[in-house]
Amino acid sequence: MQTENQSVIDFSQIISDNYKNLTKSEKRIANYLRKNQEESAFLSAGEIADRLGLSEATLVRFARTLGFSSYPAMRTILQEAFRHRVTHSTRLRSRLDDLREAGISLIDWLFPKSIT
């Protein structure tokens, strides 16, 4: 069974299930993805490789080790997991919290004062 067919929620479990068999470099990737899963969902293999000081080929091998056909297939699963976690209401609640913490009222944000 291909990993792409598994539930998007299981990505961390996929890493956990394979962690002991990963190389040292692959474990660095796994740890990075666990800590930066949302951002990583939108980065290319080259961008992650640059951040970790690894080769892009190592990222591709990592994806295949986890059972994905390619790095883009793995990234698609990360993106689906991100979309699942970050629903519209969650984004709205987060934005409202940001406004509140910044001391900006919703009315002031929706209807900014005109510059004279």
Side-chain angles (χ1 to χ4, degrees):
M1 177 166 103
Q2 289 284 335
T3 301
E4 288 101 33
N5 295 329
Q6 293 182 352
S7 169
V8 296
I9 299 169
D10 291 336
F11 188 76
S12 291
Q13 187 62 47
I14 293 167
I15 289 177
S16 294
D17 291 346
N18 291 281
Y19 196 81
K20 67 180 178 188
N21 298 321
L22 299 177
T23 66
K24 184 178 178 181
S25 293
E26 289 172 336
K27 286 180 180 177
R28 286 180 57 207
I29 297 167
N31 293 335
Y32 181 84
L33 292 178
R34 281 181 170 163
K35 291 178 184 172
N36 303 284
Q37 200 173 74
E38 292 179 0
E39 178 186 15
S40 299
F42 301 97
L43 297 175
S44 69
E47 289 171 315
I48 294 173
D50 287 346
R51 291 176 185 206
L52 296 174
L54 300 171
S55 71
E56 189 171 336
T58 303
L59 268 287
V60 173
R61 283 192 300 275
F62 171 78
R64 289 191 176 143
T65 297
L66 294 184
F68 295 95
S69 60
S70 63
Y71 176 80
M74 182 182 78
R75 186 174 60 187
T76 297
I77 296 300
L78 287 169
Q79 290 171 352
E80 289 174 8
F82 173 78
R83 286 184 193 101
H84 180 75
R85 284 190 310 274
V86 182
T87 63
H88 178 71
S89 61
T90 303
R91 288 188 299 247
L92 179 58
R93 186 177 312 118
S94 175
R95 183 65 180 136
L96 290 172
D97 288 344
D98 290 347
L99 290 172
R100 192 172 321 135
E101 288 175 11
I104 301 169
S105 77
L106 181 59
I107 298 298
D108 288 343
W109 183 73
L110 289 172
F111 306 104
K113 295 179 177 92
S114 62
I115 300 174
T116 57

